[in-house]
Amino acid sequence: MGKDSKAKGGKGGDKGGAKGGDKAKGGKDKAEGGQKEAKGGNAVNVRHILCEKQSKCLEAMEKLKAGERFSEVAAKYSEDKARSGGSLGWMTRGSMVGPFQDAAFALPVSTMGNPTYTDPPVKTKFGYHIIMVEGKK
């Protein structure tokens, strides 16, 4: 094995081989990083409205469509502990239930003034969620 390593290094030249190797490695890292970004990063700043019953969640959705602010609808309709306008804060990949996580990382970043949210609501073991994402990293 030692001879093979030397032979490979000798063919490319020590300086050229090292530079080429670094570029190739750097290129791979950048490509992997790009793929991660395309998937939506590793954390999302997420808000949601959680309702046990689909009918209540759809009622909340109608309020959003009518132009009410996401945080106000969340305060009125959400049935979980995220009462502060539905904010769950920064959530990392792997810390959310499957369907919620898939939806959260698929959504584009949007603002409270012009939210992009899941329509129809996402069903999980906790109930029905209307999800919006305020940031990704």
Side-chain angles (χ1 to χ4, degrees), residues 3-87:
K3 288 180 182 177
D4 291 342
S5 297
K6 286 179 184 176
K8 285 180 184 174
K11 284 182 184 175
D14 289 339
K15 288 182 182 177
K19 282 183 183 175
D22 288 346
K23 282 182 184 175
K25 285 180 186 174
K28 284 181 187 175
D29 290 343
K30 285 178 186 173
E32 286 172 13
Q35 286 173 353
K36 284 180 186 173
E37 285 173 24
K39 289 179 188 172
N42 289 316
V44 286
N45 187 1
V46 67
R47 286 183 184 268
H48 79 149
I49 298 167
L50 170 64
C51 303
E52 188 181 339
K53 299 204 180 298
Q54 187 178 21
S55 58
K56 186 173 180 183
C57 201
L58 292 174
E59 195 179 315
M61 177 90 55
E62 290 306 314
K63 297 287 186 188
L64 290 172
K65 288 179 180 177
E68 281 194 44
R69 285 182 66 82
F70 195 95
S71 58
E72 291 169 6
V73 177
K76 286 181 205 168
Y77 287 88
S78 194
E79 298 170 2
D80 76 333
K81 64 181 184 233
R83 290 280 179 188
S84 55
S87 178

